[in-house]
């Protein structure tokens, strides 16, 4: 249980600024997910919090106390690594007890803690095995067990599921969420997989190029992305973007022209910030596109790929004005490659982004 | 949290960071200094001293006056010394070329055969490597006994199969002594290049050889067109090691012949000559550290330069395997 | 049918060639061993037959009346201590070079590598004077120092290669667990490269055990001679008793051959370690 506060955090390797002015607050018992493309700095941020990396400037506080001057093991933090980093020459029991042995805890207390954690993770039968003799999922649980026995205030997870196969990944996702509830602990979880972020997080932190792009609950990010990057990153398949141009303004709305000469009106709070002739993009989620039905605006085009999953269908099309659009429909739609179709959307479902990527609506 | 306490913590942070950095430096120094010193004192210092020693006149163990390149002149151009030098050098060249052809050629054939994993593969491998692990002293004496003109097994065998005319005093004739020693050296070491080549062949992806076979190449074409070019790094290493070994050749002629490269200096080598010059012998007279050091420097420069050239040339034909 | 016959023929040809080669490799060693059990008259009279009885007289002569047991002991001490020192120092240097980023890392690595190319034999004269100055002539300690320094570059080279392959997350994990740098090295990382330590150990031990050149120059008193060197004086003493000579060679070869037969895989991997990238 811990409340984390990060102020003005910077990190650079030589001349390369990897983390730039990060400010973040994490509440007690929150499950926070850092998500972003690879190389965005999310793992570095995690390593800065863990103390494995020295920060260049800024503060990190846990429960109001500065910890950035403490070595990793004194911060009350435990970490689960991507490769699990189990010590290959030690048994499961020795792996889980190593930190406690280093800290010179009594044998009895070590034994109690390890047995307890093993119980929670159903590892009791495996305590004498070496990591080599465990399945991927079991290794994963040992790695978590090793973190639990230390009774940390904060758990860090560095892409812990990326080495598992798809089915196990889904299973572990649910188990981790359950574990979070059971342990009542604060957890930070790093992943590049936005599905993991959406399904597990209380709060998602989207990071790009060492900067936090947006912080919020999963659906908040999904429904109200702060910019085009977040809009495109969250959600699968990605949001569709269509080029538009501002052709008129009124008190509280912009009049936009699509490339196919359709005009739409989108409400806008600060009309004055935009000028006639500005280039913008509207964004529509694939599931908000409607097939063959009259709507606020239409896009015509040719289907170039169809993915049928039985319960849902993804239709990929080139529009007449050269945008690529993907449409998500429930059930099996009778559309095939090469078909000419027309899709429509409601203005209410549109997001609008200025040319610098910032959200307008 | 007030600003003042944050400032204090910043100071603590700076201090602990500095302390950790110093601890790390100390730890690295603890790890690195002993081995570095060891190498400096017992390898680099003597190597550098050799150069220094070679430009001084020596009276036994006492360093005399500076004489510039005098020692070099002596070993290179004094008629007697230069004959010894040339003779020994010529023998080393013969040894190198012979070992390249006989020892490494045989090794290549053995490696190509073993790479096909014939029945008894493990056994053959172990047997070929068995002599490699033995001391040259044991091998040298053993074969010296075998090659004894009267009691030696070799000649006893030759007489047994009615080849009396071949029962020569192998190590006693200037014509056959060096050749015999080269064959003994081959017997001793052939396992080494064989297993290095074999490891290199095993490293070639099976797909490549199978692809060549599907392309219709026969075993000879596969060996020539696929295996040989792709085992180039191993060949480079073996050539360089053979070169260095040949020009440092000392134990075999010392034990099977003598310090004087008998018979009649036909098995003399740079190694023996260096030893005689430095520490004295019947032919070279008393020990001469100056001339010995000059010889050592010359041998070193020669081996070093040639190794670099050979490596450069051979690595240029190596192909990176992804 | 035709090709199958041809393939069979080739297999036979290959087996004959390899078989002959094996005989050429093994027979001399076999002859050396059995001749050790023969008397002089047997060696001269029936050189190729098996000894008439399993007679250990020659070995007893060596064991009781020569210095060979002493030489064996000296070689064991020199090789043992050299290898222990080598592995300790080699691991220390290799660990620092493989696991830490610091300024000068590459320079120091190149420094060790350049040691690979220096033939120390050619520096025997300065080495002689240096050891004399240090009082290490005619002493096993002197040999140990030389062997350790001489084989250090190769050891560092081999061990650095292995240590670099260990994942850094293991180190991080141990750091999170609160282990000190020394503890991480000894408890976490080193156990994982024990196969490499065996390989490096064999790679260095065999040439040290077999070396003849350095003792030839640095050791004079019989009590400090090593096995390979001691054999030369032994050959001088017993030059006419062939049985004893063969027995001496056999005895000298026995320790390495025995270990080799038990551990042939590791020996082959170890001794070719420097030549295989």
């Amino acid at each position: 249980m811990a409340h984390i506060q990060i102020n003005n955090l910077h990190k650079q390797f030589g001349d390369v600024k990897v983390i730039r002015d990060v400010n973040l607050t994490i509440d007690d018992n929150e499950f926070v997910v850092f998500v972003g493309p690879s190389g965005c700095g999310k793992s570095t941020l995690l390593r800065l919090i863990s103390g494995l990396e020295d920060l260049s400037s800024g503060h990190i506080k846990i429960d109001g106390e500065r910890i950035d001057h403490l070595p990793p093991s004194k911060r009350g933090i435990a970490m689960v690594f991507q490769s699990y980093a189990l010590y290959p020459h030690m048994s499961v029991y020795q792996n889980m007890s190593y930190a406690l042995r280093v800290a010179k805890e009594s044998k009895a207390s070590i034994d109690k803690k390890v047995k307890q954690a093993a119980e929670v993770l159903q590892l009791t039968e495996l305590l004498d095995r070496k990591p080599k003799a465990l399945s991927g999922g079991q290794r994963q649980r040992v790695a978590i067990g090793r973190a639990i026995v230390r009774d940390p205030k904060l758990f860090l997870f560095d892409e812990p599921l990326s080495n598992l196969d798809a089915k196990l990944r889904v299973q572990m996702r649910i188990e981790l969420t359950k574990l979070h509830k059971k342990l009542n602990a604060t957890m930070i979880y790093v992943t590049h997989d936005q599905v993991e972020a959406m399904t597990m997080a209380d709060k998602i932190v989207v990071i790009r190029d060492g900067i936090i792009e947006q912080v919020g609950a999963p659906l908040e990010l999904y429904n109200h992305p702060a910019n085009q990057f977040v809009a495109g990153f969250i959600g699968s398949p990605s949001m569709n973007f269509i080029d538009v141009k501002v052709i008129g303004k009124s008190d509280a709305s912009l009049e936009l022209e699509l490339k196919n000469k359709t005009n739409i009106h989108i409400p806008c709070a600060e009309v004055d910030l935009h000028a006639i002739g500005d280039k913008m993009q509207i964004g529509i989620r694939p599931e908000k596109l409607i097939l063959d039905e009259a709507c606020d605006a239409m896009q015509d085009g040719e289907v170039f790929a169809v993915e049928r999953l039985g319960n849902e269908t993804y239709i990929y099309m080139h529009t007449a004005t050269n945008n690529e659009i993907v449409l998500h429909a429930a059930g099996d739609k009778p559309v095939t490659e090469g078909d000419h179709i027309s899709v429509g959307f409601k203005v209410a479902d549109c997001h609008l982004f200025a040319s610098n990527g910032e959200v307008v609506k | 949290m007030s600003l003042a306490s944050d400032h204090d913590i910043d100071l603590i942070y700076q201090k602990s960071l500095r302390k950790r950095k110093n601890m790390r430096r100390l730890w690295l120094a603890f790890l690195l200094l002993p081995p570095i010193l060891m190498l400096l004192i017992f390898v680099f210092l003597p190597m550098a001293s050799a150069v220094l020693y070679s430009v001084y006149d020596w009276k036994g163990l006492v360093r005399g006056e500076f004489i510039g390149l005098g020692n070099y002149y002596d070993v290179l151009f004094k008629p007697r010394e230069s004959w010894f030098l040339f003779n020994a050098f010529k023998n080393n060249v013969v040894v190198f070329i012979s070992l390249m052809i006989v020892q490494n050629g045989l090794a290549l054939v053995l490696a190509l055969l073993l790479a096909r994993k014939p029945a008894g593969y493990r056994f053959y491998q172990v047997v070929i490597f068995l002599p490699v692990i033995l001391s040259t002293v044991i091998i040298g004496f053993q074969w010296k006994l075998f090659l004894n003109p009267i009691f030696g097994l070799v000649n006893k065998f030759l007489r047994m199969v009615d080849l009396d005319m071949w029962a020569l005093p192998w190590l006693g004739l200037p014509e056959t002594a060096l050749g015999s020693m080269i064959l003994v050296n081959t017997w001793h070491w052939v396992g080494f290049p064989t297993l290095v080549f074999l490891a290199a062949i095993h490293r070639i992806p099976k797909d490549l050889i199978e692809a060549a076979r599907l392309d219709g190449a026969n075993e000879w074409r596969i060996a020539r067109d696929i295996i040989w070019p792709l085992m180039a790094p191993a060949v480079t290493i073996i050539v360089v090691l053979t070169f260095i070994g040949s020009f440092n050749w000392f134990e075999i002629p010392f034990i099977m012949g003598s310090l004087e490269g008998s018979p009649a200096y036909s098995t003399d080598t740079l190694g023996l000559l260096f030893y005689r010059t430095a520490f004295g012998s019947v032919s070279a007279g008393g020990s001469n550290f100056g001339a010995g050091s000059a010889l050592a420097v010359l041998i070193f420069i020669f081996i070093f330069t040639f190794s670099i050239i050979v490596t450069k040339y051979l690595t240029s034909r190596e192909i990176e395997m992804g | 049918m035709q090709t199958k016959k041809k393939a069979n023929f080739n297999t036979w040809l290959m087996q004959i060639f390899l078989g002959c080669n094996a005989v050429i490799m093994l027979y001399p060693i076999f002859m050396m061993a059995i001749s050790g059990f023969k008397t002089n008259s047997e060696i001269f009279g029936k050189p190729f037959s098996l000894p008439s009885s399993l007679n250990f007289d020659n070995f007893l002569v060596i064991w009781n009346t020569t210095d060979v047991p002493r030489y064996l002991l000296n070689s064991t001490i020199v090789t043992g201590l050299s290898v222990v020192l080598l592995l300790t120092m080699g691991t220390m240097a290799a660990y620092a070079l493989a696991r830490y980023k610091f300024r000068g890392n590459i320079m120091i690595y190149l420094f060790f590598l350049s040691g690979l190319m220096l033939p120390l034999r050619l520096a025997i004269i300065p080495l002689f004077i240096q050891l004399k100055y240090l009082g290490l002539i005619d002493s096993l300690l002197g040999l140990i120092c030389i062997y350790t320094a001489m084989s250090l570059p190769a050891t560092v080279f081999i061990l650095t290669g292995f240590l670099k392959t260990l994942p850094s997350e293991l180190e991080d994990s141990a750091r999170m667990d609160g282990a000190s740098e020394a503890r991480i090295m000894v408890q976490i990382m080193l156990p994982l490269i024990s196969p490499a330590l065996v390989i490096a150990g064999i790679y260095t031990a065999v040439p040290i055990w077999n070396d003849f050149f350095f003792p030839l120059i640095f050791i004079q008193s019989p009590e400090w001679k090593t096995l390979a060197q001691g054999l030369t004086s032994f050959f001088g003493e017993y030059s006419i008793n062939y049985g004893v000579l063969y027995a001496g060679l056999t005895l000298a070869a026995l320790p390495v051959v025995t270990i080799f037969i038990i551990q042939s895989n590791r020996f082959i991997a170890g001794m070719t370690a420097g030549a295989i990238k």
Side-chain angles (χ1 to χ4, degrees):
Chain A
M1 283 212 281
H3 172 272
I4 323 287
Q5 201 183 334
I6 296 171
N7 295 329
N8 309 101
L9 197 63
H10 286 266
K11 172 67 183 176
Q12 54 188 74
F13 294 109
D15 292 337
V16 187
K17 291 180 177 148
V18 191
I19 295 292
R20 289 183 282 180
D21 198 24
V22 162
N23 290 284
L24 183 65
T25 307
I26 296 170
D27 292 327
D28 249 6
N29 298 342
E30 244 182 343
F31 194 114
V32 176
V33 175
F34 293 173
V35 71
S38 55
C40 69
K42 58 191 190 295
S43 283
T44 308
L45 185 54
L46 199 72
R47 290 171 67 84
L48 289 172
I49 297 171
S50 73
L52 288 170
E53 213 77 68
D54 288 324
L55 47 83
S56 300
S57 70
H59 299 161
I60 303 172
K61 289 178 186 165
I62 295 186
D63 291 336
E65 280 185 48
R66 290 274 298 271
I67 55 146
D68 41 41
H69 59 292
L70 297 172
S73 58
K74 299 271 159 59
R75 295 184 176 197
I77 292 174
M79 186 157 169
V80 176
F81 292 88
Q82 181 171 11
S83 66
Y84 319 141
L86 300 181
Y87 310 128
H89 54 302
M90 296 187 192
S91 68
V92 169
Y93 185 96
Q94 287 169 323
N95 261 289
M96 287 172 64
S97 62
Y98 188 70
L100 305 178
R101 282 185 286 143
V102 171
K104 298 207 169 66
E105 279 202 33
S106 77
K107 273 219 164 73
S109 133
I110 293 176
D111 199 59
K112 201 176 125 216
K113 286 180 184 171
V114 172
K115 295 259 163 74
Q116 222 164 16
E119 191 78 27
V120 173
L121 295 161
Q122 293 152 19
L123 289 167
T124 313
E125 308 293 307
L126 308 173
L127 283 175
D128 293 327
R129 296 237 195 125
K130 292 270 169 68
K132 205 170 51 186
L134 300 176
S135 71
Q138 288 166 338
R139 284 180 206 180
Q140 170 75 72
R141 294 213 300 271
V142 176
I144 296 170
R146 199 165 60 169
I148 292 179
V149 293
R150 294 183 48 200
D151 193 20
K153 292 188 213 159
L154 171 64
F155 285 87
L156 306 178
F157 295 89
D158 190 3
E159 310 219 15
L161 304 185
S162 57
N163 285 351
L164 299 176
D165 64 49
K167 197 173 160 197
L168 206 50
R169 204 148 54 208
V170 175
Q171 201 181 318
M172 285 306 297
R173 224 154 66 192
I174 294 164
E175 273 188 46
L176 268 177
T177 316
K178 270 199 240 161
L179 190 74
H180 173 236
K181 298 236 162 66
K182 202 185 304 183
L183 292 176
N184 246 342
T186 312
M187 294 185 171
I188 301 177
Y189 186 105
V190 162
T191 181
H192 62 270
D193 178 354
Q194 53 93 18
V195 177
E196 274 177 24
M198 293 297 285
T199 51
M200 299 169 80
D202 295 324
K203 183 149 99 187
I204 295 180
V205 178
V206 182
I207 301 173
R208 179 171 63 155
D209 293 339
I211 292 173
I212 293 183
E213 294 279 347
Q214 192 176 4
V215 179
L219 284 181
E220 194 184 324
L221 262 57
Y222 190 82
N223 294 326
H224 306 288
N227 53 47
Q228 202 173 346
F229 174 76
V230 175
F233 194 79
I234 301 287
S236 170
S238 275
M239 184 183 276
N240 296 301
F241 295 107
I242 298 168
D243 298 326
V244 293
K245 201 163 77 184
V246 181
I247 54 167
K249 298 206 283 191
S250 66
D251 285 353
S253 75
L254 293 173
E255 188 180 7
L256 305 165
E257 184 192 63
L258 276 68
K259 274 193 181 157
N260 62 2
K261 303 296 176 204
T262 322
N263 290 356
I264 50 174
H265 290 270
I266 290 189
C268 170
E270 287 165 279
V271 176
D272 296 342
L273 292 176
H274 309 285
I276 294 199
D278 276 2
K279 293 215 158 79
M280 292 192 172
Q281 287 201 307
I282 53 172
I284 310 125
R285 296 256 174 225
E287 69 273 14
K288 300 288 187 192
L289 287 170
I290 304 155
L291 187 60
D292 290 330
E293 222 175 86
C295 258
D296 296 346
M298 303 299 288
Q299 292 276 300
D300 299 328
E302 188 185 329
V303 177
F304 69 89
V306 183
E307 290 175 346
R308 297 172 198 286
L309 303 179
N311 61 338
E312 53 191 350
T313 310
Y314 295 101
I315 302 163
Y316 297 85
M317 63 182 271
H318 281 300
T319 64
T321 52
N322 249 341
N323 277 320
E324 246 177 47
I325 283 183
V326 54
L327 178 149
H328 174 226
D332 190 13
K333 294 281 182 228
V335 177
T336 52
E337 241 172 84
D339 282 2
H340 286 267
I341 56 169
S342 172
V343 297
F345 57 86
K346 294 183 188 132
V347 167
D349 291 331
C350 281
H351 303 264
L352 179 62
F353 302 100
S355 55
N356 64 3
E358 287 304 307
V359 74
V360 178
K361 183 241 158 187
Chain B
M1 201 77 15
S2 71
L3 278 173
S5 79
D6 252 1
H7 179 73
D8 290 345
I9 289 172
D10 275 336
L11 286 180
I12 298 173
Y13 174 65
Q14 295 301 333
K15 217 169 137 188
S16 78
L17 200 67
R18 232 175 302 138
K19 201 178 137 201
R20 256 186 300 158
K21 272 195 177 143
N22 283 334
M23 281 299 288
R24 205 182 98 113
R25 268 194 211 120
L26 225 74
W27 167 240
L28 285 177
F30 165 76
L31 290 177
L32 284 168
L33 279 182
I36 288 178
L37 282 177
M38 195 78 197
L39 205 56
L40 275 180
I41 295 173
F42 290 102
V43 175
F44 282 86
L45 180 62
M47 287 302 294
S49 306
V51 180
L52 189 73
Y53 286 12
S54 68
V55 291
Y56 283 91
D57 191 23
W58 285 77
K59 304 263 183 295
L61 280 173
V62 183
R63 198 167 76 181
E65 57 190 290
F66 176 82
I67 54 167
L69 296 178
N71 289 319
Y72 290 90
Y73 178 85
D74 286 353
V75 293
L76 280 173
F77 300 115
K78 268 196 180 168
R80 191 176 140 83
E81 276 72 6
S82 95
W83 182 85
F84 273 126
L85 182 63
F86 179 76
N87 176 57
F89 180 76
K90 183 200 74 193
N91 288 336
N92 282 117
V93 172
V94 171
V95 170
F96 172 60
I97 292 171
S98 316
L99 288 181
M100 277 303 296
I101 295 168
V102 181
Q103 175 179 300
N104 296 343
L106 178 63
L108 184 62
V109 173
L110 287 170
L112 284 170
L113 293 181
L114 284 176
R116 314 182 60 181
K117 300 227 167 165
Y121 164 79
R122 279 291 308 153
F123 170 76
Y124 291 134
Q125 231 182 331
V126 171
V127 165
I128 289 171
F129 208 72
L130 185 58
V132 176
I133 62 161
L134 292 177
S135 169
T136 315
V137 178
I138 295 178
I139 306 277
F141 277 126
Q142 177 197 347
W143 282 97
K144 197 176 177 179
L145 290 177
F146 287 163
L147 289 169
N148 183 297
I150 303 158
F151 312 119
L153 293 173
V154 174
N155 283 0
K156 292 231 177 205
F157 176 78
L158 289 170
R159 291 199 191 94
M160 214 166 70
V161 295
D162 277 339
L163 283 168
D164 291 49
M165 52 177 296
W166 283 86
L168 302 168
W170 297 100
L171 297 173
L173 294 176
E175 295 80 19
T176 55
L178 190 63
S180 307
M181 290 181 194
I182 288 168
L183 286 179
V184 169
N185 191 91
T186 301
W187 182 83
H188 183 191
W189 279 107
V190 69
F192 186 79
T194 304
L195 293 193
V196 171
F197 289 154
L198 187 61
I201 297 173
H202 279 325
R203 196 161 296 185
I204 299 171
K206 287 228 164 22
D207 310 4
L208 277 176
I209 292 170
E210 270 157 22
R213 199 162 281 143
L214 285 178
D215 286 341
N218 60 24
E219 295 305 313
W220 160 245
R221 292 294 300 255
I222 289 173
R224 196 193 70 182
D225 297 342
I226 310 291
I227 297 176
W228 175 247
L230 291 181
M231 66 187 282
V235 175
T236 306
I237 288 168
I238 291 300
V239 171
V240 171
L241 288 181
T242 307
F243 179 78
I244 294 174
S246 302
F247 281 87
N248 280 321
W249 220 46
F250 178 81
E251 278 91 343
I252 288 272
F254 180 83
I255 286 159
M256 299 185 72
S258 72
L259 187 53
E260 308 284 338
S262 55
Y265 299 104
S266 64
T267 62
D268 199 12
T269 63
L270 291 173
L272 292 174
L273 179 64
F274 165 59
Y275 185 97
R276 288 202 306 271
T277 314
F279 296 101
S281 77
V282 185
S283 66
S287 101
N288 184 345
F289 278 8
S293 295
L295 202 51
V297 171
L298 288 174
I299 296 173
F300 174 68
I301 290 172
F302 172 74
I303 292 180
F304 190 79
T305 320
F306 242 77
S307 302
I308 299 273
I309 293 172
V310 169
T311 312
K312 273 258 159 72
Y313 171 70
L314 288 176
T315 35
S316 68
R317 55 167 279 243
E318 283 174 18
I319 302 144
E320 273 301 318
M321 250 188 303
Chain C
M1 208 49 206
Q2 192 67 38
T3 54
K4 203 173 175 192
K5 233 182 212 164
K6 201 177 146 200
N8 254 331
F9 177 73
N10 279 343
T11 309
W12 273 108
L13 211 64
M14 179 161 80
Q15 283 291 347
I16 289 169
F17 183 81
L18 289 171
C20 283
N21 184 69
V23 169
I24 293 171
M25 288 305 184
L26 272 184
Y27 192 68
I29 295 173
F30 173 71
M31 284 310 293
M32 171 175 88
I34 65 161
S35 299
F37 292 96
K38 291 178 171 179
T39 60
N40 248 7
S41 60
E42 268 182 288
I43 290 172
F44 299 146
K46 292 178 275 181
F48 297 102
S49 60
L50 290 174
S52 52
S53 64
L54 202 61
N55 145 16
F56 281 93
D57 288 353
N58 294 331
F59 292 94
L60 286 175
V61 168
I62 290 171
W63 201 255
N64 293 326
T65 65
T66 72
D67 283 333
V68 171
R70 175 82 210 199
Y71 304 154
L72 255 170
L73 178 70
N74 288 341
S75 274
T76 311
I77 292 171
V78 169
T79 311
L81 286 181
S82 300
V83 170
V84 168
L85 257 176
L86 262 171
L87 291 184
T88 312
M89 288 197 179
T91 308
M92 284 161 65
Y95 191 80
L97 294 171
R99 304 305 309 184
Y100 294 98
K101 274 188 218 158
F102 56 92
R103 227 172 344 132
N105 183 315
I106 292 171
M107 286 301 295
I108 297 176
Y109 184 62
L110 288 178
F111 165 77
F112 279 108
L113 273 197
S114 65
L116 276 177
M117 295 189 294
L118 298 178
L120 193 58
R121 286 171 167 218
L122 294 175
I124 195 90
I125 297 169
L127 210 48
F128 184 82
I129 292 174
Q130 202 174 311
L131 289 191
K132 192 146 193 116
Y133 180 74
L134 293 170
L136 292 175
I137 290 285
D138 210 20
S139 110
L140 296 185
L141 187 60
L143 287 181
I144 291 169
C145 287
I146 294 172
Y147 289 143
T148 305
M150 190 175 71
S151 306
L152 203 49
T155 313
V156 171
F157 178 67
I158 293 172
L159 292 180
T160 309
F162 277 93
L163 277 165
K164 274 189 174 156
T165 63
L166 296 180
S168 61
E169 283 199 345
L170 278 179
E171 250 177 275
D172 288 341
S173 177
R175 253 172 225 141
M176 293 296 295
D177 281 347
S180 64
E181 296 300 301
R183 194 163 183 158
I184 293 172
M185 171 175 166
V186 174
Q187 278 189 345
I188 306 293
M189 305 303 260
L190 291 193
L192 301 179
I193 58 152
S194 50
L197 289 172
V198 173
I199 282 178
I202 290 172
Y203 182 79
T204 52
V206 174
I208 293 175
W209 176 269
N210 287 339
D211 184 60
F212 155 72
F213 186 78
F214 290 103
L216 180 70
I217 287 157
F218 295 137
I219 304 287
Q220 281 117 29
S221 6
E223 48 178 325
W224 301 123
K225 284 189 177 171
T226 62
L227 188 61
Q229 173 202 17
L231 280 179
T232 53
S233 39
F234 163 76
F235 259 70
E237 275 171 63
Y238 286 83
S239 54
I240 41 154
N241 195 338
Y242 279 47
V244 175
L245 294 182
Y246 279 120
L249 291 177
T250 308
L251 204 61
L254 202 61
V256 192
V257 173
T258 314
I259 307 174
F260 173 65
I261 286 169
I262 302 168
Q263 289 281 340
S264 58
N265 266 334
R266 286 194 162 154
F267 253 73
I268 291 173
M271 290 195 63
T272 52
I276 296 173
K277 273 190 244 179

